[in-house]
């Protein structure tokens, strides 16, 4: 399996769509409201589960038990409130959530437990799909590799931290208040990913977004593929996939 990942809002969806056009379907579908997609449901669910069991954050700060208890209380109360009261309540909780900007750290003692619990399923999932795309792999790939899942290559996309944070705010993935926390979390996820791939000797192809959109011939040269494709085939797939209107920030 080839893994496509990155902190998110960094071109992973474009690459997943390109692989799909080349005949290597990563699964999932396009979500116009988020301008992202092609994440297989089983991969997404598994990575969310692994992240929860490892204690790391994916989309928002998980926090300690006090914040988790507050979340549960708000969810219970909010369900009984008129709709107009829910956004102010959510904003009030975010004041508490992002009062601390540190990422939620890996519970290292849980790594062998989680690997043993899910290893057989991870190995089976990795054998079924030639390509898998999910930004969550930044935080969970260590478990996949520790389980012996056959990951042959990692394609890592990256762009400036502010651009990734601004993009998430723009599509409503999290509030403006979370931008600095998000940048810390991106860096932590990248560190987890790169140390895992180095320790397990998995090759990493690093691409900077949106620069790699400017030279499809160069992308063809460096992008790992499950099976060879000619430059002509690659350029046709690239042209069918690339939509300049979806690139909002060219930093």
């Amino acid at each position: 399996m080839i893994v496509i990942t990155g902190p998110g809002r960094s071109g992973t969806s474009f690459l997943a769509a390109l692989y799909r056009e080349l005949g290597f379907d990563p699964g999932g579908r396009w979500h116009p409201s988020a301008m992202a997609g092609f994440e297989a449901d089983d991969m997404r669910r598994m990575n969310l589960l692994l992240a929860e069991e490892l204690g790391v954050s994916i989309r928002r700060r998980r926090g300690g038990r006090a914040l988790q208890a507050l979340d549960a209380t708000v969810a219970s109360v909010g369900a009984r409130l008129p709709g107009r009261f829910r956004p102010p309540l959510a904003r009030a909780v975010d004041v508490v959530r992002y009062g601390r900007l540190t990422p939620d750290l890996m519970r290292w003692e849980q790594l062998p437990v989680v690997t043993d619990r899910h290893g057989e399923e991870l190995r089976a999932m990795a054998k079924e799909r030639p390509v898998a795309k999910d930004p969550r792999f930044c935080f969970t790939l260590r478990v996949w590799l520790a389980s012996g899942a056959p990951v042959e290559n990692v394609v890592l996309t990256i762009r400036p931290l502010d651009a990734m944070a601004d993009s998430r705010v723009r599509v409503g993935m999290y509030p403006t208040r979370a931008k600095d926390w998000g940048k810390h979390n991106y860096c932590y996820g990248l560190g987890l990913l790169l140390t895992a791939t180095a320790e397990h000797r998995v090759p990493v192809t690093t691409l900077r977004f949106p620069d790699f959109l400017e030279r499809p011939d160069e992308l063809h040269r460096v992008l790992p593929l499950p099976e060879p494709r000619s430059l002509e085939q690659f350029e046709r797939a690239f042209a069918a996939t690339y939509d300049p209107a979806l690139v909002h920030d060219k930093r």
Side-chain angles (χ1 to χ4, degrees):
M1 182 172 72
I2 295 170
V3 166
I4 307 167
T5 194
R9 317 308 297 179
S10 59
T12 54
S13 294
F14 169 82
L15 289 175
L18 178 60
Y19 273 101
R20 187 169 181 264
E21 192 70 26
L22 288 166
F24 313 114
D25 190 1
R29 61 186 179 87
W30 179 254
H31 300 279
S33 60
M35 294 186 293
F38 303 118
E39 297 167 8
D41 287 341
D42 58 345
M43 291 285 179
R44 177 180 54 82
R45 284 193 297 266
M46 175 56 75
N47 280 328
L48 285 170
L49 177 61
L50 296 176
E52 181 178 359
E53 293 183 3
L54 293 170
V56 292
S57 296
I58 295 293
R59 184 168 173 175
R60 63 179 187 173
R61 180 170 175 259
R62 190 183 302 279
R65 291 181 180 177
L67 182 55
Q68 292 173 33
L70 179 61
D71 276 339
T73 302
V74 167
S76 175
V77 172
R80 299 193 294 270
L81 289 176
R84 67 181 183 277
F85 293 113
R86 293 173 191 168
L89 183 61
R91 287 194 292 270
V93 174
D94 280 341
V95 172
V96 178
R97 185 183 313 282
Y98 299 111
R100 292 186 61 187
L101 299 179
T102 53
D104 294 293
L105 303 180
M106 173 84 77
R107 298 181 189 134
W108 292 103
E109 75 283 358
Q110 285 295 106
L111 182 62
V113 177
V114 176
T115 302
D116 183 64
R117 181 182 297 146
H118 300 289
E120 184 176 354
E121 187 174 1
L122 296 179
R123 291 188 293 273
M125 290 173 68
K127 289 175 182 177
E128 292 174 356
R129 199 177 300 278
V131 177
K133 173 256 178 174
D134 193 349
R136 302 168 185 88
F137 278 118
C138 282
F139 297 90
T140 65
L141 188 65
R142 181 174 289 272
V143 183
W144 291 80
L145 299 181
S147 76
V151 176
E152 296 182 0
N153 213 304
V154 171
V155 179
L156 169 64
T157 63
I158 187 67
R159 70 192 293 195
L161 295 174
D162 282 328
M164 290 187 289
D166 289 343
S167 181
R168 288 205 175 198
V169 171
R170 184 170 56 246
V171 299
M173 286 187 172
Y174 56 51
T176 302
R177 185 182 298 276
K179 281 177 59 175
D180 284 351
W181 173 84
K183 290 188 283 186
H184 286 299
N185 209 46
Y186 301 152
C187 292
Y188 186 57
L190 287 168
L192 290 175
L193 177 78
L194 292 174
T195 53
T197 54
E199 290 175 23
H200 289 271
R201 298 182 175 86
V202 176
V204 179
T205 301
T206 303
L207 303 172
R208 188 190 191 280
F209 181 87
D211 297 11
F212 65 77
L213 299 175
E214 298 174 1
R215 290 287 305 274
D217 57 335
E218 178 65 16
L219 185 60
H220 173 259
R221 186 181 69 80
V222 300
L223 194 67
L225 299 174
E227 298 172 4
R229 293 290 186 265
S230 69
L231 178 58
E232 183 181 3
Q233 291 173 308
F234 191 89
E235 288 181 332
R236 281 201 304 268
F238 186 96
T241 304
Y242 180 42
D243 182 355
L246 297 180
V247 183
H248 297 285
D249 190 333
K250 296 191 177 182
R251 280 178 281 181

